[in-house]
């Protein structure tokens, strides 16, 4: 049984650890914080390749993840639900490449003035339930999790002496590897409202007033958002929240007057392209798995499978 260390305990790191442990590897996770303290907990977590270059491998990973999450949705305890909704488009030639990963989709029969839409059913992840389930699943597979601040990959290789190491540390990944300055944050602010009975989600990336989405969950509705590339600001901006509320209420009038349950800001770990590959220059095999932008949940199982294939069986 080979030993593999995974740096990072968000949805990507946990998914990678799960697939490697399933393949028979002895896996250890090192991370400065757990998933519920990471950007993974802030996400609306609707399946959709947002803030990511939709290359062929990305669409393939999205398809694999869709299928896996669809299977998990059969067990309510996983926190995965299949939900119908609409992706609005307002451009003459919209990018609908993501639909290749969705088994069934159709043009929307109604949309706001100036917009068209695609109707489909996709997985929705209840982040707190799902991350607890995923962490429990990796622990049940024998994965060990240790909280530790990782300052460099050579230090981890010397300390852990793994047969292989996977860097899945989100925004910190490029700096840890020391060879990638292409990673940058995209600031996302959300406000969570009481759910007046909504079940269908809606995504309006091309809204002329700004990125807008409404994602109903069990007891709340995640409303967003922002896409501020390069911003590291984690403070909630009241003016931004007011603008978000105005946009979502215009899109879904039933949200008007609903109580604010919570609010949050997260930094999506973006890159020009998702990086899933072997990294040269270290004393032991090192692999990268990061740069997922706003598509961490959407690509998680597919990219975890790609890493498992690169490393091979135990």
């Amino acid at each position: 049984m080979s030993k593999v260390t995974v740096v990072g305990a968000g949805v990507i790191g946990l998914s990678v650890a799960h697939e490697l442990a399933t393949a028979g590897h002895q896996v250890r996770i090192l991370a400065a914080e757990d998933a519920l303290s990471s950007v993974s907990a802030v996400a609306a977590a609707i399946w959709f390749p947002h803030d990511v270059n939709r290359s062929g491998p990305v669409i393939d990973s999205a398809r694999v993840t869709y299928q896996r999450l669809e299977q998990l949705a059969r067990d309510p305890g996983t926190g995965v639900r299949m939900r119908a909704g609409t992706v609005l488009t307002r451009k003459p030639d919209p990018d609908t490449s993501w639909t290749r990963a969705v088994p069934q989709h159709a043009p929307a029969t109604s949309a706001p003035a100036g917009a068209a839409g695609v109707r489909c059913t996709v997985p929705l992840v209840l982040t707190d339930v799902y991350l607890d389930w995923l962490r429990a699943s990796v622990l049940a597979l024998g994965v060990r999790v240790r909280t530790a601040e990782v300052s460099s990959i050579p230090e981890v290789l010397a300390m852990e002496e793994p047969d292989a190491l996977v860097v899945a540390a989100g925004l910190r990944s490029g700096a840890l590897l020391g060879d990638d300055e292409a990673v940058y944050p995209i600031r996302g602010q959300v406000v969570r409202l009481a759910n007046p009975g909504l079940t269908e989600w809606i995504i309006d990336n091309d809204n002329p007033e700004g990125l807008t989405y409404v994602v109903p969950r069990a007891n709340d509705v995640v409303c967003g958002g922002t896409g501020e590339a390069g911003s590291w600001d984690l403070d909630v901006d009241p003016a931004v929240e007011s603008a978000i509320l105005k946009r979502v209420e215009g899109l879904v009038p039933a949200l008007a007057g609903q109580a604010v349950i919570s609010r949050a800001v997260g930094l999506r770990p973006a890159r020009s392209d998702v990086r899933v590959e072997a990294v040269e220059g270290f004393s032991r095999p090192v692999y990268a798995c990061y740069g997922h932008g706003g598509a961490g949940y959407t690509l998680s199982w597919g990219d975890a499978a790609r890493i498992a294939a690169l490393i091979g069986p135990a």
Side-chain angles (χ1 to χ4, degrees):
M1 180 180 293
S2 65
K3 298 190 299 180
V4 183
T5 296
V6 177
V7 179
V11 68
I12 298 296
L14 288 173
S15 301
V16 167
H18 186 286
E19 296 303 84
L20 290 174
T22 300
H25 297 282
Q26 180 182 327
V27 182
R28 183 170 192 171
I29 294 175
L30 290 180
E33 58 185 9
D34 63 25
L36 291 174
S37 301
S38 72
V39 69
S40 295
V42 177
I46 189 79
W47 182 99
F48 188 73
H50 180 64
D51 276 343
V52 69
N53 180 18
R54 296 171 189 169
S55 63
V58 163
I59 298 301
D60 289 342
S61 281
R63 181 185 297 109
V64 170
T65 305
Y66 183 107
Q67 294 168 352
R68 185 67 164 270
L69 292 175
E70 186 177 37
Q71 294 172 352
L72 292 174
R74 299 169 188 168
D75 177 2
T78 63
V80 183
R81 309 286 187 266
M82 299 302 293
R83 290 287 183 267
T86 303
V87 178
L88 295 178
T89 58
R90 298 176 184 263
K91 296 178 180 178
D93 185 23
D95 177 5
T96 57
S97 59
W98 59 272
T99 59
R100 300 200 305 268
V102 179
Q104 294 184 333
H105 54 87
T109 55
S110 62
V118 177
R119 291 275 302 163
C120 56
T121 297
V122 301
L124 165 67
V125 174
L126 307 179
T127 53
D128 53 348
V129 178
Y130 181 76
L131 292 173
D132 279 343
W133 170 83
L134 184 54
R135 188 177 192 278
S137 296
V138 301
L139 292 176
L141 288 168
V143 175
R144 294 177 297 158
V145 180
R146 184 163 73 88
T147 301
E149 188 71 42
V150 177
S151 58
S152 75
I153 296 308
E155 176 186 338
V156 175
L157 293 174
M159 177 177 61
E160 296 284 312
E161 297 187 340
D163 297 303
L165 182 144
V166 181
V167 179
L171 275 174
R172 296 192 63 231
S173 298
L176 286 174
L177 286 169
D179 72 335
D180 189 357
E181 298 179 356
V183 185
Y184 62 94
I186 299 179
R187 181 182 181 275
Q189 181 169 326
V190 300
V191 54
R192 304 182 185 103
L193 302 180
N195 192 343
L198 302 176
T199 58
E200 294 207 355
W201 51 268
I202 187 165
I203 296 172
D204 190 2
N205 284 342
D206 302 329
N207 189 308
E209 301 300 320
L211 169 64
T212 307
Y213 53 86
V214 173
V215 181
R217 303 192 297 186
N219 300 310
D220 63 7
V221 184
V222 181
C223 300
T226 62
E228 301 167 67
S231 174
W232 292 87
D233 184 6
L234 285 169
D235 292 331
V236 172
D237 186 328
V240 169
E241 180 174 303
S242 295
I244 290 172
L245 291 173
K246 181 180 178 181
R247 294 198 301 273
V248 300
E249 290 170 7
L251 199 60
V252 184
L255 292 172
Q258 294 300 317
V260 173
I261 294 178
S262 64
R263 42 182 64 89
V265 173
L267 303 179
R268 304 176 190 122
R271 192 175 182 273
S272 55
D273 291 289
V274 177
R275 190 179 190 189
V276 181
E277 63 182 7
V279 182
E280 302 297 329
F282 294 96
S283 61
R284 297 169 185 267
V286 172
Y287 300 85
C289 189
Y290 62 89
H292 295 88
Y297 285 92
T298 303
L299 304 178
S300 56
W301 289 112
D303 281 356
R306 292 173 64 191
I307 287 292
L310 286 171
I311 293 178

